[in-house]
Amino acid sequence: MSKEKNPRRVADNEAMAKLRMLKTSPQKLNLVAGLIRGQKVEKALTDLTFSKKRIAIDVKKCLQSAIANAENNHGLDVDDLIVAEAWVGKNLTMKRGRPRARGRFGKILKPFAELTITVRQVEETS
């Protein structure tokens, strides 16, 4: 009497990877995620490798994880993958502070973000 298997969250020709607790603001992360949306995975990996943004390293790790999930868990062909979706969400925000002049308190917010990347296999129409 085991439980039934959970249904897949994505289609049969898709795979997904998620990173949580990235130490950057969602706004900055979305700039890097926007670079790779809709691109072939080879081009996206190249763009992330040569990006000057610090968070591009973590985005590249997430993309590589999604590619590995597609290949190993779902049997998809790596050469036909594109980045179908890359979306960013908020996570927690640490509240810190600093003493300021005349007994006041300067609020410092340290935001965290999360990233979800979905890759999809598309057939080449040449």
Side-chain angles (χ1 to χ4, degrees):
M1 296 278 297
S2 63
K3 293 194 292 186
E4 290 184 24
K5 190 169 86 169
N6 285 333
R8 286 196 59 191
R9 294 187 188 114
V10 291
D12 289 337
N13 63 341
E14 292 181 346
M16 187 172 72
K18 190 168 203 167
L19 271 186
R20 293 188 173 98
M21 295 298 289
L22 290 168
K23 181 62 189 92
T24 187
S25 71
Q27 189 174 6
K28 290 178 185 176
L29 180 59
N30 197 34
L31 291 173
V32 178
L35 288 175
I36 63 170
R37 283 189 193 111
Q39 291 188 344
K40 293 187 68 67
V41 291
E42 303 150 356
K43 172 106 171 61
L45 285 171
T46 306
D47 288 350
L48 292 172
T49 302
F50 294 106
S51 175
K52 291 185 177 182
K53 301 277 189 183
R54 175 191 61 86
I55 200 64
I57 298 166
D58 294 324
V59 175
K60 183 179 174 186
K61 284 181 187 177
C62 186
L63 179 58
Q64 288 171 332
S65 177
I67 294 167
N69 288 343
E71 184 178 17
N72 297 321
N73 300 347
H74 307 302
L76 302 178
D77 186 20
V78 177
D79 297 329
D80 294 338
L81 292 178
I82 63 163
V83 180
E85 296 171 331
W87 70 91
V88 175
K90 284 188 196 176
N91 210 311
L92 74 101
T93 302
M94 291 194 303
K95 279 84 172 179
R96 298 294 182 260
R98 180 176 185 138
R100 307 304 290 174
R102 299 171 61 186
R104 297 190 184 177
F105 183 76
K107 187 165 34 169
I108 298 173
L109 301 176
K110 299 189 175 203
F112 284 79
E114 54 185 52
L115 172 69
T116 307
I117 294 179
T118 304
V119 292
R120 181 180 299 140
Q121 182 176 354
V122 293
E123 299 302 324
E124 292 291 321
T125 56
S126 308

